[in-house]
Amino acid sequence: NDDDAGSGGTFITTMANLLAREDVVLDIEVRAKSCGPTYQPAECVRNHYKVEVLEYGPGAYDGLLHTLSGNMVDPGGAVRVMRPFPVPFKDPEGFLESLSELRLSEYDMGKKSSQTEGFCDNYLCVNSVIDSSLTALEIQVSGTLERLVGDSSIPSSALPNAKVQYSPSFHNEARFYVADVSSPRTESIRINATAASNMITGIRINGLSADSGVFGADIKLDYRTTVVSIVVTAGRYEIQSTYTVHIYRPLNTNTFLADFSFYGYNLLKFQEPNLTSVPEPMEPCDMHNASLRQSLNISSHHMCGGTGSALVVGTISLFQGLNTSALQDGAPAGALPGSASSTRKLIHPCDDTFLVTHPVLKESCAKADIDDIIDCEPQADSVFQVAAFDYNWPDYLVNVESRTEYLIASVSVIDKNAEMISIGKVRNCREAPRSSGCEGRDFTDFGWDYGDYGIVSLRDKHESPPIDVDIGSTVGTVTVTAHDSITKGTYNFRAVKLSPVVDPEILNLGSYLDGLIGDSEDPNFEMEFTLRMAGFNPLWILDSFFRQNLEQHVRKYITYAAVVEDAVVSVKIYGSPRNQSACRLLDPGEAGGVDVKVYAKFWKETDATHLLAWLEGQGWHNARGFTFDGYLLSFGPIYKVDGPRQRTFRATFIPTRHRYEVTLPTGTRHVPLTVPPPPHVPPIEGFGVRVNGEEYTLGSTFSVEVPRCAIGPHHCDARHLTITAEACIFDECVTYTVVATIPAVSIPANDASMRAVNITAGPTNSTAGGRIVVEYSPSFFHDVRRFSARVDGGLEYVHLSVAPNSPSYSRLFINGRPTLPYTEVPVPLSLLETELNGLLTVRVIAEDNFTTSDTKIHVLVDSPRGLMTDNANALDPLKGKYGFDGGVLPGGVDTTPPEWKESYPRVEPVWEGGPHLELAAQTMEPAVVYWALAVPWSRPPTSREVYDAVVRLNHTKTRLIEGSVSDFIADALNSSVPATTESGFVATGVMTSRYSMTREERVAVTCLDPNVGFDVYFVAEDKALDLSLNPAANRQTVPTLVRGVKPGSGPLGLLYPWVDSFSELHGDLWENITGGELIALSLLFDGAASNHFASTYAAKGSLACPGAVHFEVTAVNASSVDSSSGDVVLEARREPAGELAGNWTQLWKTTLLDLKTKSDASVDGWISVVSEKIPAGDYWTLRWRVEGSCCHSWALRNLTTRYITP
């Protein structure tokens, strides 16, 4: 107290001096040695120690001022700050002086103060004005938040009005206290502080005024420690006492998610199967190895590397000794393999409340007759629905589509104060900000752990970065770190993504070939049956990857049991349904099972024999060599619950069968083939088809031409046409082969043609194998009657064999001698060079004994006597200089016009169906051919007129039709026009070729009137020397006429688009107005003309020539039609596949009022309309629509197309 005292010395003060300071504090200052009483530099180091002197009871002290800690007389007296008697009473000097005297006798003798306020007697004072102490402190809970989902119940000690305990126990001079609330959900408290004096200035709790003895305002608690300050101000307001309470509110430990989902997909709760006790799956060919198959006399099996399948013994012997007692209906005994012992369970998926709306559950459950859900016992809290998220279930499954590349998780926590959510296996969007799923999103607030794929942590954001999913299973976690930063909770998820079915297969080859397959093959056979694996937990098949592998494994064993190579087996597995009266299955581990539905298709009924026997004998259990493996049997008992249902049906294309044999109808010219695109969305990358080696556009019609028979007599034996369709996905290909038999054409009785001519040469004693084949010219053709050959004179003999075309021929002669088909007739070269003059003759007499054909073979023998000079002839036909098939060679003196090769010239309608004609010509020597197309009633032209019409048009105007040919024809049909006319040429032209017409040459004349049978005149001309050796043309003097061929009269007829094609005419508001026949349909419209129309968009039209549409229209329910009712319009445009459509072109238009007027005036109410011309081309679409106001109807019928010819 500013008095110096040496170290170790004693300082004594009087109570009067001490109380005069009015603070009753001993201030002890210790200075370092470098500091003096007056010299105190800045570096002086000193410490202060303060001792506050308290008084106990009613003012106890002793003469040595050693404050007592208690008193036997008044042990419960309050401890208070020792203070002098303050203003307004002041402390009298006698009183202060008396405090220094050792006068304890009054107190010790029990004399008490009168305790009159403001009065002191016997050294004891009562002075409430200076008292700022408390006599009581009470803390109480005032506010509690609701319990968080997942937390345990809030204890009663944390509920409102509950008393909050603190320590130490209250004492008026204890100024610091510590209290804990028992729950983090306690949000606020209130305090009741009671002052010792009723003369205090006031109490403030955390700055807010409070009344003594009354609970104050609510105090909101922070998490962890909240400091509450209670300041009591005495009547003498400079005297204050501060009480401090530290209240600790614990942090939340809730780690539950409030929501967890993936955008676009449904979560399923899942329990991983524990299959540690289940044997590993085995392939059938490993389970039943080669030695076992050999012991069963199975020579080969197509699934085990063999080229086919063969059973030497009867199949029924494979099932001897079957123990059927183990295969009766009933639930499995004991726990299922992989069953969990957890008290938390999932409900049977087929009894889930969300079964109807959840696609995965619906697809995984067999259809069962369950009207309602019956719980035998109340559902426990530990049994969960399979569908949807529940905060209390940790493991989830999501099945994603094969084209899904990533998932976006959406998560939120129950406790908004949770420290963080960590999601594993996500993509690092900071490193790849422009990748799909990252681009355009802000991830600055996310914490990233490591690498390209790591863990991201987030607080406020609820959407994760992309979680990339691979084929198979992608595993990830969502971890919630609680508010306390220590407690963690983890949810596991597994994204299952199936590999898309990308086998390069074709679904069908079109209806035409499908019909031929049905006509050519035995009926197909199919069977369906259902096996039940009663020991299988149906929850497991919710995992589509697990389910797919199981289905494939079962399918392999059933395919193996079917034995035949062409069997098509498909397997689908569903959760077994319960009976309608059965209880709801709270735990599929206790009951349930799965149903294995099997569909098997065979090429013919006998192929199913082995599988039927296997099924009836329950061969999956103990049919030696054909049982299931241990993996499948561990899910038993397995027993049949349905089938087999059997049926035969017309044979059809099967994608898994790659070879077909069909028979074409007689006269088939083309085989149409249509391969539809695979039904994959999006399309399979790299998928393509080639037909007969050519690239093919999926969905289009590919026409395979049938090799034609030789023109002329019937030479068409049964032949084969092979059609291949190769489907590929990049380099992996599968080839489908159709071998089509072209039936033989019947041979008439008058056929005397030949089938073959064979010539060999050799020495006298040579054998057939040792002789030389003699080539001849031209190549064999059934209607060629003259051949030339050359042989070496040293070979001695020529051997000739021939065969008639008809097996029913009458007789066959070589050089006048009878022989048999393909029998070699030897002819000595000496005889050939002399008597036969180098000529071999063949005669065939037909079956009718009347028709005869003679064939001559000129043989040139290379010898000194032979025709060696022929080698010098540059125009030797054997050298093929002109490349023609025979006839008179040019050169030298030639005064005769060319001759036509047999069957020429010809005129044929183009087979594809357009109004076109095709002209064909071939001559026996090099020539030029002039032709003229004429109407049939015109005067026959001269050879000169045909020639002039081709080369000098201006000299032959009288022979050419002027103006429109259609008008000319129309006029000619009038009876006033004579039967023959001067003019009549429709088209003319010239035919030449690189072979100078010695090979067939064709030319097409297009877009002709299909109602007229046109005549065509041909004139052939060669270039040669006349008798004066001057160049001169030999022209035929009379044109050769081919009469009356109509365009479009080919095998397919004249093809038009949109012919009564109401099945191809589509509108949005059609109704039948004729009582059941599709001859008239009405299209209602409501004024929205662009929205209501009729269109042929489903059937694009191809016009071989410019055309027009003919149809009939009528007004329907049109009594209120007027001039404002609008128009009916016909339009057309081209819509090429894969290209932008063209603009609509108007072809016809009329007002509804005009339509009504004309309809009323017509006999039957229908108006005939011919549209404007539509140019030739493909991909045409027609559209009828209405322009105008609401609301009238019209009708359309008898839609046809006609070509507009020149």
Side-chain angles (χ1 to χ4, degrees):
N1 286 354
D2 294 332
D3 288 336
D4 289 337
S7 173
T10 301
F11 173 75
I12 302 176
T13 181
T14 65
M15 185 63 72
N17 290 336
L18 187 62
L19 290 177
R21 297 174 56 85
E22 295 192 355
D23 55 7
V24 198
V25 171
L26 297 177
D27 181 9
I28 305 171
E29 180 183 9
V30 183
R31 296 188 295 270
K33 193 172 184 178
S34 59
C35 305
T38 57
Y39 175 69
Q40 296 182 4
E43 65 271 14
C44 176
V45 179
R46 49 192 168 177
N47 281 324
H48 282 269
Y49 299 86
K50 292 188 178 183
V51 180
E52 183 179 19
V53 181
L54 307 178
E55 64 177 349
Y56 180 79
Y61 57 86
D62 60 23
L64 297 178
L65 300 182
H66 292 167
T67 303
L68 297 177
S69 60
N71 188 284
M72 292 186 296
V73 177
D74 189 11
V79 177
R80 61 186 176 226
V81 176
M82 183 178 286
R83 293 189 183 281
F85 198 80
V87 226
F89 306 102
K90 296 187 185 288
D91 296 325
E93 292 182 5
F95 169 71
L96 294 175
E97 185 179 352
S98 69
L99 292 177
S100 300
E101 299 178 9
L102 299 175
R103 299 175 60 184
L104 303 175
S105 58
E106 294 89 346
Y107 183 81
D108 292 338
M109 294 173 64
K111 295 180 180 180
K112 300 293 182 75
S113 167
S114 62
Q115 297 196 13
T116 303
E117 182 70 34
F119 178 78
C120 294
D121 60 350
N122 297 328
Y123 316 108
L124 300 177
C125 305
V126 176
N127 191 351
S128 298
V129 177
I130 64 170
D131 191 350
S132 61
S133 64
L134 295 176
T135 60
L137 179 65
E138 184 180 0
I139 305 174
Q140 190 179 82
V141 175
S142 64
T144 304
L145 299 173
E146 291 184 1
R147 178 178 68 92
L148 287 175
V149 174
D151 283 353
S152 57
S153 300
I154 299 175
S156 60
S157 60
L159 297 176
N161 301 323
K163 186 176 180 179
V164 178
Q165 302 294 330
Y166 57 86
S167 64
S169 300
F170 178 77
H171 204 279
N172 70 315
E173 287 302 330
R175 304 301 171 87
F176 180 80
Y177 300 91
V178 175
D180 290 341
V181 293
S182 58
S183 171
R185 304 308 289 165
T186 299
E187 185 181 30
S188 62
I189 55 96
R190 50 179 174 253
I191 293 178
N192 178 7
T194 304
S197 171
N198 58 2
M199 299 181 69
I200 60 173
T201 300
I203 300 174
R204 300 187 74 85
I205 302 176
N206 275 2
L208 298 178
S209 178
D211 294 332
S212 175
V214 179
F215 281 103
D218 290 351
I219 300 171
K220 187 173 180 62
L221 297 181
D222 297 327
Y223 287 101
R224 294 190 174 92
T225 301
T226 300
V227 178
V228 181
S229 177
I230 307 169
V231 179
V232 184
T233 303
R236 186 175 172 179
Y237 55 82
E238 71 271 17
I239 298 176
Q240 291 181 329
S241 295
T242 300
Y243 296 82
T244 302
V245 183
H246 284 193
I247 303 177
Y248 185 81
R249 179 185 179 187
L251 299 177
N252 287 317
T253 58
N254 188 296
T255 58
F256 293 114
L257 288 177
D259 178 65
F260 178 25
S261 63
F262 291 103
Y263 289 115
Y265 290 100
N266 297 304
L267 280 180
L268 292 170
K269 301 180 190 68
F270 194 63
Q271 286 178 323
E272 280 293 336
N274 179 14
L275 302 179
T276 54
S277 62
V278 176
E280 290 292 324
M282 293 183 66
E283 292 294 316
C285 294
D286 298 330
M287 174 73 178
H288 310 296
N289 55 32
S291 60
L292 176 60
R293 291 193 296 273
Q294 186 175 4
S295 69
L296 295 173
N297 290 327
I298 302 175
S299 59
S300 62
H301 198 292
H302 67 94
M303 291 180 63
C304 307
T307 57
S309 302
L311 288 178
V312 179
V313 298
T315 56
I316 196 63
S317 63
L318 299 175
F319 303 98
Q320 294 176 353
L322 176 67
N323 177 16
T324 59
S325 62
L327 302 177
Q328 301 304 313
D329 292 8
L336 296 178
S339 60
S341 60
S342 171
T343 57
R344 292 188 300 179
K345 300 176 180 179
L346 292 176
I347 199 169
H348 193 291
C350 300
D351 269 336
D352 196 282
T353 306
F354 298 96
L355 174 63
V356 177
T357 58
H358 198 291
V360 176
L361 293 179
K362 190 174 182 179
E363 199 272 338
S364 299
C365 292
K367 184 179 181 182
D369 185 17
I370 303 176
D371 293 336
D372 54 7
I373 293 175
I374 306 172
D375 287 337
C376 295
E377 298 177 0
Q379 184 171 334
D381 292 337
S382 60
V383 178
F384 297 86
Q385 298 279 345
V386 177
F389 170 77
D390 189 289
Y391 73 93
N392 212 18
W393 190 268
D395 300 310
Y396 290 90
L397 175 74
V398 57
N399 294 290
V400 303
E401 296 178 355
S402 59
R403 66 175 183 272
T404 299
E405 297 178 355
Y406 61 86
L407 295 171
I408 300 292
S410 174
V411 293
S412 61
V413 289
I414 290 175
D415 180 12
K416 302 306 178 185
N417 294 306
E419 182 175 279
M420 70 175 67
I421 307 171
S422 300
I423 304 177
K425 189 67 177 177
V426 297
R427 195 189 314 152
N428 188 349
C429 286
R430 293 182 180 179
E431 295 297 324
R434 296 184 179 275
S435 62
S436 177
C438 292
E439 188 172 10
R441 300 176 63 193
D442 182 11
F443 293 97
T444 55
D445 293 336
F446 287 63
W448 182 259
D449 280 11
Y450 60 90
D452 293 335
Y453 293 93
I455 300 174
V456 67
S457 298
L458 52 103
R459 285 184 183 274
D460 302 325
K461 307 272 184 193
H462 290 166
E463 293 182 9
S464 73
I467 302 170
D468 292 327
V469 292
D470 302 320
I471 299 297
S473 295
T474 300
V475 178
T477 59
V478 178
T479 300
V480 180
T481 303
H483 190 197
D484 65 356
S485 302
I486 298 174
T487 310
K488 297 180 184 293
T490 298
Y491 293 85
N492 304 304
F493 67 86
R494 185 151 59 89
V496 177
K497 176 180 175 180
L498 296 181
S499 175
V501 180
V502 292
D503 294 333
E505 67 176 18
I506 290 174
L507 298 181
N508 62 70
L509 297 174
S511 58
Y512 183 81
L513 278 175
D514 212 34
L516 293 183
I517 293 172
D519 293 338
S520 304
E521 301 282 358
D522 293 334
N524 292 164
F525 177 79
E526 66 181 9
M527 57 184 293
E528 294 180 73
F529 59 90
T530 301
L531 301 179
R532 179 162 296 169
M533 293 182 174
F536 195 97
N537 191 326
L539 283 172
W540 301 343
I541 65 173
L542 300 182
D543 181 339
S544 57
F545 192 69
F546 186 90
R547 178 183 182 184
Q548 183 187 65
N549 288 338
L550 181 65
E551 289 173 342
Q552 292 177 350
H553 196 60
V554 175
R555 182 182 59 81
K556 289 178 182 178
Y557 272 90
I558 295 178
T559 303
Y560 184 89
V563 177
V564 293
E565 185 172 4
D566 287 334
V568 180
V569 177
S570 63
V571 172
K572 293 294 290 184
I573 295 180
Y574 304 92
S576 301
R578 64 177 170 88
N579 296 327
Q580 183 174 359
S581 59
C583 296
R584 183 180 187 178
L585 301 176
L586 297 185
D587 180 14
E590 299 169 357
V594 294
D595 284 357
V596 181
K597 294 186 178 295
V598 181
Y599 171 80
K601 186 174 182 178
F602 298 89
W603 198 237
K604 55 184 179 294
E605 186 172 359
T606 55
D607 289 347
T609 302
H610 193 268
L611 186 60
L612 284 170
W614 179 88
L615 181 63
E616 291 305 314
Q618 299 176 325
W620 58 85
H621 181 67
N622 63 352
R624 184 168 177 261
F626 291 94
T627 62
F628 285 166
D629 63 353
Y631 175 76
L632 294 178
L633 292 176
S634 65
F635 302 125
I638 302 174
Y639 50 89
K640 184 183 70 173
V641 295
D642 181 48
R645 294 185 297 275
Q646 308 171 41
R647 76 179 185 96
T648 57
F649 56 97
R650 181 179 171 88
T652 184
F653 179 86
I654 301 177
T656 55
R657 190 184 190 204
H658 300 147
R659 181 180 174 85
Y660 298 88
E661 295 183 0
V662 301
T663 300
L664 298 179
T666 302
T668 301
R669 302 287 294 276
H670 288 78
V671 178
L673 176 147
T674 303
V675 178
H680 295 89
V681 179
I684 299 175
E685 184 179 1
F687 182 83
V689 174
R690 289 187 294 269
V691 177
N692 284 355
E694 298 182 25
E695 292 296 332
Y696 170 77
T697 301
L698 294 173
S700 65
T701 299
F702 187 93
S703 186
V704 179
E705 185 174 3
V706 177
R708 298 187 181 185
C709 299
I711 299 172
H714 297 261
H715 277 233
C716 284
D717 295 336
R719 296 161 294 151
H720 292 97
L721 169 66
T722 300
I723 302 172
T724 60
E726 184 181 42
C728 297
I729 298 178
F730 295 113
D731 295 334
E732 184 180 355
C733 298
V734 171
T735 300
Y736 296 83
T737 301
V738 179
V739 179
T741 298
I742 307 170
V745 178
S746 59
I747 301 176
N750 63 350
D751 182 9
S753 62
M754 285 201 302
R755 180 177 294 272
V757 171
N758 300 311
I759 306 174
T760 59
T764 303
N765 299 324
S766 62
T767 63
R771 291 193 284 269
I772 297 172
V773 176
V774 176
E775 300 291 340
Y776 55 86
S777 178
S779 300
F780 176 80
F781 203 61
H782 67 89
D783 62 352
V784 175
R785 295 291 179 261
R786 189 181 300 242
F787 299 96
S788 298
R790 184 186 297 272
V791 297
D792 186 345
L795 292 178
E796 298 183 356
Y797 275 86
V798 169
H799 298 262
L800 175 64
S801 67
V802 297
N805 177 55
S806 174
S808 302
Y809 73 98
S810 177
R811 280 165 292 175
L812 174 65
F813 300 90
I814 294 179
N815 289 338
R817 296 176 178 271
T819 186
L820 297 174
Y822 297 107
T823 299
E824 289 190 332
V825 175
V827 179
L829 292 185
S830 57
L831 179 65
L832 184 64
E833 289 181 287
T834 55
E835 296 182 14
L836 299 179
N837 196 25
L839 184 65
L840 300 175
T841 61
V842 179
R843 170 166 289 185
V844 178
I845 301 176
E847 181 183 0
D848 61 3
N849 286 314
F850 175 77
T851 307
T852 302
S853 69
D854 291 324
T855 301
K856 301 183 183 302
I857 304 172
H858 294 270
V859 181
L860 307 179
V861 181
D862 289 333
S863 66
R865 298 184 306 224
L867 305 174
M868 295 297 295
T869 56
D870 288 335
N871 286 327
N873 187 352
L875 300 181
D876 191 328
L878 296 182
K879 299 182 182 302
K881 179 177 179 180
Y882 291 95
F884 58 92
D885 295 330
V888 179
L889 293 173
V893 177
D894 183 7
T895 59
T896 60
E899 294 182 5
W900 300 110
K901 188 172 180 59
E902 185 178 349
S903 80
Y904 293 98
R906 297 196 304 271
V907 179
E908 301 169 352
V910 176
W911 76 272
E912 290 87 351
H916 317 311
L917 293 177
E918 196 170 42
L919 316 184
Q922 182 177 348
T923 57
M924 298 293 290
E925 60 180 287
V928 174
V929 175
Y930 306 100
W931 59 269
L933 186 76
V935 291
W937 50 83
S938 61
R939 173 182 57 80
T942 64
S943 178
R944 178 57 179 267
E945 285 176 326
V946 174
Y947 174 81
D948 286 348
V950 175
V951 301
R952 295 198 295 272
L953 294 177
N954 57 332
H955 293 172
T956 58
K957 285 185 177 180
T958 57
R959 293 295 302 150
L960 292 175
I961 297 174
E962 294 184 356
S964 168
V965 176
S966 297
D967 293 343
F968 178 87
I969 293 174
D971 293 340
L973 294 176
N974 193 312
S975 60
S976 61
V977 178
T980 57
T981 57
E982 180 65 25
S983 59
F985 286 172
V986 174
T988 61
V990 62
M991 300 173 68
T992 60
S993 69
R994 60 181 295 189
Y995 300 112
S996 299
M997 298 303 294
T998 57
R999 292 190 181 178
E1000 181 185 83
E1001 182 68 17
R1002 289 176 173 265
V1003 64
V1005 187
T1006 60
C1007 295
L1008 299 169
D1009 192 317
N1011 297 311
V1012 177
F1014 290 92
D1015 292 342
V1016 185
Y1017 296 91
F1018 295 86
V1019 175
E1021 176 184 84
D1022 65 11
K1023 304 295 184 182
L1025 302 177
D1026 60 13
L1027 294 177
S1028 302
L1029 300 182
N1030 294 318
N1034 296 315
R1035 183 184 307 134
Q1036 294 173 345
T1037 57
V1038 177
T1040 300
L1041 169 63
V1042 178
R1043 185 178 296 281
V1045 180
K1046 282 188 177 183
S1049 60
L1052 297 182
L1054 188 61
L1055 299 183
Y1056 293 102
W1058 315 311
V1059 179
D1060 285 336
S1061 186
F1062 283 97
S1063 62
E1064 299 170 353
L1065 188 61
H1066 298 274
D1068 54 356
L1069 288 174
W1070 289 101
E1071 64 180 19
N1072 195 319
I1073 64 169
T1074 58
E1077 296 181 4
L1078 291 175
I1079 60 169
L1081 300 173
S1082 69
L1083 178 67
L1084 306 179
F1085 62 96
D1086 59 4
S1090 62
N1091 296 329
H1092 297 285
F1093 57 85
S1095 172
T1096 61
Y1097 68 88
K1100 302 295 185 293
S1102 296
L1103 291 171
C1105 300
V1109 179
H1110 173 266
F1111 56 94
E1112 294 180 82
V1113 292
T1114 186
V1116 180
N1117 300 328
S1119 60
S1120 59
V1121 167
D1122 55 26
S1123 59
S1124 64
S1125 298
D1127 306 319
V1128 181
V1129 181
L1130 170 62
E1131 299 168 316
R1133 73 173 179 183
R1134 295 183 71 248
E1135 297 179 356
E1139 301 178 18
L1140 293 177
N1143 296 324
W1144 290 105
T1145 301
Q1146 181 173 299
L1147 301 179
W1148 170 76
K1149 180 176 181 179
T1150 187
T1151 66
L1152 280 167
L1153 179 60
D1154 187 48
L1155 178 61
K1156 176 183 179 301
T1157 302
K1158 292 181 179 179
S1159 297
D1160 293 342
S1162 66
V1163 175
D1164 58 356
W1166 292 91
I1167 308 302
S1168 179
V1169 175
V1170 177
S1171 73
E1172 297 292 331
K1173 182 170 72 174
I1174 307 173
D1178 298 328
Y1179 306 110
W1180 281 105
T1181 293
L1182 304 180
R1183 180 178 74 176
W1184 285 264
R1185 65 184 181 87
V1186 178
E1187 295 176 345
S1189 60
C1190 181
C1191 297
H1192 308 285
S1193 303
W1194 58 282
L1196 174 71
R1197 76 176 184 183
N1198 293 341
L1199 171 65
T1200 59
T1201 309
R1202 62 177 61 175
Y1203 289 114
I1204 302 176
T1205 53

